[in-house]
C-alpha cells in the first residue's frame, strides 16, 4: 500500500513534467493511471514544438539520469513506441551538468585507497564530459615500466602517459534504486490493466533494463568489455580501443588511455583533414560486420560521439558501457534470413523464423506459416531488385520486427539493439556521403562470410558436427538407460499396463538396436563426402 501511494505521488509529478513538454501521448496510449494523466493534461495546455519523440526526449532529460537511460532503452523498442519515436530517442543526448571535482577526487581515493597525487602526475579540475552515469577527467600518469622495452627509457620517463579517468556520479546507485521501484510499479500496472500490452512483457523488460544499467554502473564491466573488444581486433589497425589501466580502475573508477580524433559524422572536418570518406566508411562497415557476425560481440552505442577518426583515417571507439552479444545460432539464423530474403524465398524465410524459435505457435507447413510468409513478402517485395545503396536494412529489420505485433511473436532484445546500431551506422554513412550505403561497402565481407559459414561445405560440416555431438551423447544415454533398467528391475519404477502393452506390441519395436550402427554409417558417409 505504501509503495503504491509513493508511486502514485511520483507518477503525478512525472505526468506534470511530461505535460509541460507536451509529451503525455505515450502514457495516454498505454492507459496508465488515466485519471492522473487527464488531470496533468487538463492543467497544462502547453503546445511544445517538435515531434512526439523529441518532446519525450526533452522531458526525460529533465527528469534525470535513470529516465535518460530509460529513453535510450526505449530507442531500441520501435515495436513498442513506434519507429519515429525510437529514432528521436536514439538522438537523446546523455549530457548532464558535471558534479564537483572535489567529489570525484574523494570517490577515486575511496575506491583506489591512495591519494590522487600518488595515483596521477596531474588531474584536470574540469571534466571533459559529464553524462547520466559518470563524468570524465583528463589526467597524466608515469610511464608503465612494463612498456619500456627498447629505445631510450630515460626519454620515456619524461613523457607521461595521457589518460582519461571516468568516475561514477555520487549517489547514482541509490537514485537508480528509487526510480527502479517506480518503473516496476508502472510495468505491473500495465500488465494488470492492459491485456493487449502483456505480450511486451513490461515487468520482464524492466528487469532487463535493470540488469543493463547495473552492469553499466560497474565500471569494471566496461573495462572488461573494452579489453575483449581490443582482443577481437588485435592486429587490425583500422579499429582502436583505449587500453585499460587496471591498477587505477575499480567498480566506480575507470582509467584508460586517452584518445582523440574527429567525430565520425563531421564531414567538413574529415575532408579538411584530407581523409577519404569512402575509405573511412569502408573501414567502419568492416568493423561493424566483424563485430556482429565474426565475433558476436558488438559496441551497443555506436553514435558519432563514441566513434572518432584518427590522423591515419582509422576508427577510434570509446564508452563500452552498453554492449551486445549474439550467439552463433542467432548469427546463423540471421544469415539464413538474409539469403532467403535476397532469393525472394519467403516460405523459407518464414521457416527460418520458426527454426529460430521466433514463431513458437506456428505449425510447420500449416496455414499460419503460409500467412506469415505472405506478411514477409509484403515487407520485402518493395525493395526487391533495388540497388543496395537505396535500401535501408535497418528499416527493413524494423519492419520485420513490427510483425511481432500482428503475429504476437516474442521480442528478441539482441535484434532490437542490433537494429538500433544499424540505424546509427546508416545515419553516419548518409551524413558523409548520401550516394553510398555502408552495406554496399561491406558486401565483399558479407559474401565471403556467407560462403565460409552458410555455403554447402559449411552446412555439411555443421551436419557432421551434429552427428558427432549425437555420438558423444551415446555413452551418457546408454548409462542412463542402464540405470533406468536397474531401477525398473528393482521395482522402483512402475509402468502403467497400457504403456507396457504398447512397448511390447509396437510394430518395429526392435528398431532401437539399430540406432548405433545407423549413426556410425551416417558419420562415415558424411566424412567421405567431406574428403
Amino acid at each position: 500500500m505504501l509503495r503504491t501511494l509513493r508511486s502514485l505521488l511520483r507518477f503525478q509529478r512525472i505526468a506534470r513534467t511530461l505535460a509541460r513538454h507536451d509529451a503525455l501521448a505515450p502514457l495516454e496510449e498505454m492507459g496508465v493511471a488515466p485519471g492522473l494523466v487527464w488531470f496533468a493534461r487538463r492543467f497544462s495546455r502547453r503546445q511544445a514544438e517538435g515531434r512526439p519523440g523529441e518532446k519525450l526526449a526533452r522531458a526525460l532529460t529533465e527528469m534525470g539520469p535513470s529516465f535518460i537511460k530509460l529513453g535510450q532503452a526505449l530507442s531500441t523498442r520501435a515495436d513498442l513506441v513506434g519507429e519515429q519515436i525510437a529514432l528521436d530517442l536514439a538522438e537523446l543526448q546523455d549530457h548532464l551538468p558535471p558534479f564537483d571535482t572535489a567529489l570525484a577526487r574523494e570517490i577515486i581515493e575511496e575506491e583506489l585507497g591512495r591519494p590522487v597525487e600518488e595515483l596521477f602526475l596531474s588531474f584536470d579540475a574540469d571534466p571533459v564530459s559529464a553524462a547520466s552515469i559518470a563524468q570524465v577527467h583528463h589526467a597524466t600518469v608515469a610511464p608503465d615500466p612494463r612498456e619500456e622495452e627498447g629505445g631510450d627509457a630515460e626519454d620515456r620517463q619524461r613523457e607521461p602517459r595521457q589518460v582519461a579517468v571516468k568516475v561514477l556520479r555520487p549517489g547514482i546507485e541509490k537514485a537508480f534504486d528509487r526510480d527502479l521501484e517506480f518503473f516496476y510499479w508502472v510495468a505491473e500496472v500495465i500488465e494488470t490493466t492492459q491485456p493487449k500490452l502483456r505480450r511486451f512483457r513490461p515487468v520482464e523488460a524492466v528487469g532487463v533494463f535493470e540488469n543493463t544499467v547495473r552492469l553499466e554502473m560497474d565500471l569494471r564491466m566496461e573495462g572488461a568489455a573494452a579489453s575483449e573488444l581490443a582482443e577481437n581486433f588485435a592486429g587490425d589497425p583500422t579499429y582502436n580501443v583505449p587500453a585499460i589501466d587496471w591498477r587505477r580502475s575499480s567498480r566506480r573508477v575507470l582509467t584508460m588511455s586517452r584518445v582523440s580524433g574527429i567525430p565520425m559524422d563531421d564531414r567538413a572536418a574529415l575532408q579538411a583533414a584530407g581523409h577519404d570518406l569512402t575509405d573511412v566508411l569502408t573501414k567502419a562497415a568492416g568493423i561493424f560486420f566483424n563485430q556482429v557476425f565474426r565475433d558476436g560481440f558488438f559496441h551497443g552505442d555506436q553514435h558519432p560521439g563514441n566513434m572518432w577518426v584518427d590522423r591515419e583515417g582509422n576508427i577510434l571507439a570509446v564508452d563500452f558501457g552498453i554492449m551486445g552479444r549474439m550467439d552463433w545460432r542467432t548469427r546463423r539464423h540471421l544469415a539464413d534470413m538474409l539469403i532467403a530474403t535476397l532469393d525472394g524465398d519467403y516460405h523459407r524465410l518464414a521457416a527460418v523464423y520458426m527454426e529460430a524459435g521466433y514463431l513458437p505457435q506456428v505449425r510447420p507447413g500449416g496455414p499460419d506459416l503460409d500467412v506469415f510468409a505472405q506478411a514477409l513478402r509484403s515487407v520485402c517485395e518493395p525493395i526487391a531488385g533495388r540497388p543496395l545503396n537505396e535500401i535501408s536494412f535497418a528499416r527493413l529489420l524494423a519492419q520485420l520486427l513490427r510483425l511481432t505485433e500482428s503475429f504476437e511473436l516474442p521480442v528478441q532484445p539482441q535484434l532490437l539493439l542490433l537494429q538500433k546500431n544499424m540505424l546509427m551506422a546508416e545515419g553516419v554513412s548518409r551524413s558523409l556521403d548520401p550516394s553510398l550505403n555502408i552495406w554496399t561497402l561491406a558486401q565483399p565481407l558479407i559474401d565471403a562470410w556467407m560462403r565460409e559459414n552458410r555455403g554447402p561445405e559449411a552446412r555439411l560440416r555443421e551436419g557432421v558436427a551434429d552427428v558427432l555431438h549425437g555420438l558423444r551423447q551415446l555413452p551418457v544415454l546408454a548409462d542412463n538407460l542402464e540405470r533406468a533398467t536397474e531401477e525398473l528391475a528393482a521395482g522402483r519404477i512402475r509402468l502403467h499396463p497400457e504403456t507396457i502393452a504398447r512397448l511390447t506390441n509396437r510394430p518395429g519395436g526392435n528398431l532401437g538396436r539399430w540406432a548405433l550402427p545407423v549413426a556410425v554409417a551416417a558419420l562415415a558417409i558424411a566424412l567421405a563426402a567431406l574428403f
Side-chain angles (χ1 to χ4, degrees):
M1 181 63 185
L2 183 61
R3 173 177 176 259
T4 299
L5 180 60
R6 188 165 56 239
S7 296
L8 283 170
L9 292 173
R10 187 84 189 278
F11 186 87
Q12 186 179 22
R13 293 195 296 272
I14 289 168
R16 287 203 303 266
T17 302
L18 290 170
R20 277 202 310 276
H21 292 274
D22 192 21
L24 280 169
L27 288 180
E28 291 171 330
E29 290 178 9
M30 287 189 293
V32 181
L36 290 176
V37 172
W38 177 88
F39 187 83
R41 172 77 75 186
R42 178 70 177 81
F43 290 96
S44 181
R45 296 180 176 277
R46 181 177 175 182
Q47 296 295 316
E49 295 182 357
R51 294 185 298 271
E54 294 172 328
K55 299 174 187 177
L56 181 58
R58 290 194 290 267
L60 292 172
T61 300
E62 181 181 326
M63 287 186 277
S66 300
F67 290 86
I68 291 173
K69 287 298 173 189
L70 178 64
Q72 292 174 334
L74 288 173
S75 72
T76 69
R77 298 298 305 267
D79 62 312
L80 182 59
V81 299
E83 187 175 344
Q84 186 57 61
I85 289 179
L87 286 171
D88 290 332
L89 291 178
E91 300 296 322
L92 186 63
Q93 295 299 304
D94 193 359
H95 298 309
L96 286 178
F99 57 89
D100 194 335
T101 299
L103 289 174
R105 294 172 68 95
E106 285 179 16
I107 291 170
I108 292 170
E109 293 179 354
E110 180 183 343
E111 286 288 311
L112 302 180
R114 294 166 61 191
V116 169
E117 289 74 19
E118 289 184 15
L119 293 162
F120 304 98
L121 295 178
S122 67
F123 187 86
D124 290 359
D126 297 325
V128 292
S129 66
S132 58
I133 294 292
Q135 69 184 30
V136 177
H137 292 261
H138 281 168
T140 59
V141 298
D144 190 335
R146 294 173 297 182
E147 296 177 358
E148 296 185 2
E149 298 177 2
D152 191 338
E154 185 176 342
D155 284 345
R156 264 192 299 276
Q157 287 289 350
R158 293 195 294 266
E159 293 292 333
R161 286 190 295 131
Q162 308 291 316
V163 298
V165 186
K166 190 171 187 177
V167 185
L168 211 63
R169 280 188 174 272
I172 187 66
E173 296 100 330
K174 289 183 179 178
F176 178 67
D177 286 340
R178 185 177 62 252
D179 292 335
L180 195 64
E181 179 188 63
F182 175 74
F183 295 155
Y184 273 116
W185 177 82
V186 172
E188 290 164 8
V189 170
I190 292 172
E191 283 203 358
T192 303
T193 64
Q194 302 296 317
K196 66 178 181 180
L197 298 178
R198 284 177 193 155
R199 73 178 190 87
F200 293 111
R201 295 175 288 189
V203 173
E204 183 179 329
V206 174
V208 171
F209 172 69
E210 176 185 4
N211 292 335
T212 300
V213 178
R214 289 202 187 282
L215 286 177
E216 196 174 352
M217 289 192 296
D218 185 342
L219 298 183
R220 295 169 300 186
M221 295 299 291
E222 179 175 346
S227 294
E228 183 175 349
L229 206 55
E231 279 184 12
N232 290 343
F233 283 84
D236 184 346
T238 65
Y239 191 58
N240 295 292
V241 176
I244 304 302
D245 184 340
W246 287 109
R247 292 183 298 170
R248 296 176 179 86
S249 298
S250 68
R251 186 177 63 87
R252 306 185 79 229
V253 177
L254 179 64
T255 302
M256 65 193 84
S257 58
R258 194 187 310 178
V259 296
S260 61
I262 301 170
M264 270 287 294
D265 63 343
D266 194 338
R267 189 173 189 271
L270 290 172
Q271 288 181 318
H275 293 300
D276 182 330
L277 299 185
T278 301
D279 182 59
V280 169
L281 284 174
T282 300
K283 291 175 180 176
I287 290 163
F288 186 91
F289 179 84
N290 284 328
Q291 284 185 13
V292 173
F293 282 94
R294 184 192 67 189
D295 306 325
F297 183 62
F298 59 94
H299 194 304
D301 196 19
Q302 297 187 105
H303 62 74
N306 289 338
M307 302 281 286
W308 302 336
V309 180
D310 68 13
R311 285 179 293 185
E312 287 74 37
N314 296 318
I315 311 299
L316 302 167
V318 294
D319 197 350
F320 310 95
I322 301 174
M323 303 298 293
R325 288 191 185 274
M326 288 207 304
D327 58 21
W328 168 244
R329 181 176 178 273
T330 302
R331 284 177 272 161
R332 184 187 70 195
H333 286 132
L334 279 178
D336 288 347
M337 288 176 189
L338 178 59
I339 293 171
T341 302
L342 295 177
D343 289 345
D345 189 345
Y346 302 112
H347 280 85
R348 172 57 188 156
L349 182 57
V352 174
Y353 266 81
M354 185 190 66
E355 292 165 11
Y358 302 163
L359 288 173
Q361 79 281 16
V362 173
R363 177 169 54 85
D368 289 343
L369 195 63
D370 292 336
V371 173
F372 187 64
Q374 182 180 349
L376 292 172
R377 180 186 293 272
S378 72
V379 171
C380 299
E381 279 293 305
I383 66 169
R386 288 169 57 186
L388 277 180
N389 69 321
E390 295 181 8
I391 297 173
S392 167
F393 282 106
R395 291 185 183 278
L396 174 61
L397 181 56
Q399 290 179 46
L400 292 173
L401 291 172
R402 290 292 294 274
L403 291 179
T404 62
E405 183 174 355
S406 300
F407 289 85
E408 298 184 354
L409 312 183
V411 174
Q412 307 300 319
Q414 73 276 24
L415 296 186
L416 294 170
L417 187 59
L418 174 63
Q419 186 251 342
K420 170 190 172 182
N421 281 277
M422 290 174 72
L423 280 172
M424 288 180 178
E426 288 181 347
V428 170
S429 173
R430 292 194 167 98
S431 70
L432 294 183
D433 189 341
S435 67
L436 289 175
N437 185 308
I438 195 168
W439 315 124
T440 307
L441 301 175
Q443 191 167 6
L445 285 174
I446 295 172
D447 292 341
W449 190 90
M450 288 292 190
R451 285 194 302 272
E452 182 179 350
N453 294 281
R454 301 310 296 152
E457 290 184 7
R459 291 178 184 276
L460 187 55
R461 288 196 302 269
E462 204 171 88
V464 171
D466 289 341
V467 171
L468 289 172
H469 176 73
L471 290 175
R472 283 194 294 268
Q473 297 301 310
L474 284 177
V476 177
L477 293 173
D479 186 52
N480 290 340
L481 180 60
E482 183 178 351
R483 284 202 303 271
T485 304
E486 291 173 356
E487 293 287 314
L488 186 62
R492 288 188 288 268
I493 297 178
R494 296 185 180 277
L495 297 180
H496 192 279
E498 290 184 9
T499 302
I500 296 173
R502 283 199 299 269
L503 290 173
T504 54
N505 298 325
R506 182 178 179 181
N510 291 326
L511 285 177
R513 63 191 178 91
W514 294 101
L516 181 59
V518 170
V520 173
L523 176 62
I525 294 170
L527 291 174
L530 268 180
F531 301 105

